Amino acid sequence: MTTVLIVDDQPLQRYGFRILLESVPETEVLGEAAHGAEAVRKAAELRPDVVLMDVRMPGMDGIEATRRIVAAGGRSRILVLTTFDLDEYVHAALRAGASGFLLKDARPEELLAGIRAVALGDAVIAPALTRRLLDEFAQHLPRPAADPAGDTRLDSLTDREREILVAIGRGWTNGEIAGHFVLSESTVKTHVGRVLAKIGARDRVQAVIFAYDLGLARPHGG
């Protein structure tokens, strides 16, 4: 059973999501919120597996709500819903700690699959697309750290794990990493899991952003 908190400022939109989620036995709607501040409060109170987060809301928007929910260190993962697939809101949501995003015109089965994936710890956005987003908005980002060694989270990585992190930062799939380093995909999967744990990344998307922010992955495939 995957528990969900629905966040949207449109009552009809919330109703539609609730009807869909309650139509399948594997999801349970714990509550609804009409704005970001209410979402932060209810996420802390209800501790859902997944927060279905609208972005553009009056008052506290979905980006700030995502940032606060993630910063609180709870179990909830954020799945952002947006009207546009490549806009600054999506980019900001991922950097705030969202585990992925879907378009509002996604098919019902896509939304249900996305919720299940996020609840299991998978990302609902390809790391390569995360790289495209970061590249697209690179001019708006703070300059990455000149010396990645200054981040203590890298100290625990082996040389191979650091290579894997750089590859993740480039948006490579496990298959591409395996081919490049002549490893089995199961070995790569093990390495990726260790890297995520050591750097404290919630999922692969956050690892891409981590590598990008430290300058381990540079814009436009650098």
Side-chain angles (χ1 to χ4, degrees), residues 10-209:
Q10 299 293 327
L12 190 59
Q13 189 84 67
R14 294 198 306 274
Y15 177 76
F17 287 139
R18 177 180 281 275
I19 292 298
L20 171 63
L21 296 178
E22 290 181 344
S23 72
V24 293
E26 62 266 27
T27 58
E28 177 186 3
V29 177
L30 295 184
E32 300 178 11
H35 53 76
E38 187 179 19
V40 173
R41 178 174 59 79
K42 288 197 171 181
E45 172 190 331
L46 301 173
R47 301 181 71 242
D49 297 316
V50 176
V51 179
L52 202 57
M53 182 74 76
D54 188 22
V55 173
R56 306 180 192 191
M57 297 180 288
M60 184 190 298
D61 65 15
I63 305 301
E64 181 59 27
T66 294
R67 187 176 293 112
R68 295 191 186 193
I69 291 170
V70 171
R75 58 180 293 187
S76 302
R77 294 178 180 272
I78 315 297
L79 179 57
V80 170
L81 291 166
T82 181
T83 307
F84 305 103
D85 59 348
L86 282 175
D87 69 3
E88 69 274 15
Y89 291 96
V90 174
H91 168 260
L94 292 172
R95 292 182 68 85
S99 292
F101 73 88
L102 287 172
L103 298 181
K104 281 196 172 182
D105 62 0
R107 296 189 303 274
E109 60 270 23
E110 291 176 328
L111 176 61
L112 293 171
I115 289 172
R116 286 194 297 270
V118 167
L120 291 171
D122 293 331
V124 185
I125 170 177
L129 182 52
T130 303
R131 274 306 311 273
R132 292 221 314 269
L133 281 164
L134 291 169
D135 289 348
E136 180 76 19
F137 297 100
Q139 64 270 28
H140 304 302
L141 303 179
R143 294 180 63 83
D147 180 14
D151 193 300
T152 57
R153 287 174 291 180
L154 292 178
D155 294 344
S156 62
L157 297 182
T158 65
D159 289 343
R160 172 64 81 195
E161 288 167 351
R162 186 181 285 237
E163 291 174 336
I164 297 292
L165 174 59
V166 171
I168 293 172
R170 290 173 175 162
W172 293 3
T173 65
N174 283 359
E176 290 169 334
I177 295 172
H180 182 81
F181 293 110
V182 195
L183 300 169
S184 70
E185 286 202 41
S186 61
T187 298
V188 171
K189 187 173 182 180
T190 299
H191 280 311
V192 170
R194 287 175 180 161
V195 168
L196 297 184
K198 288 182 177 181
I199 67 175
R202 292 164 66 90
D203 53 44
R204 205 178 177 107
V205 165
Q206 299 307 309
V208 172
I209 294 173

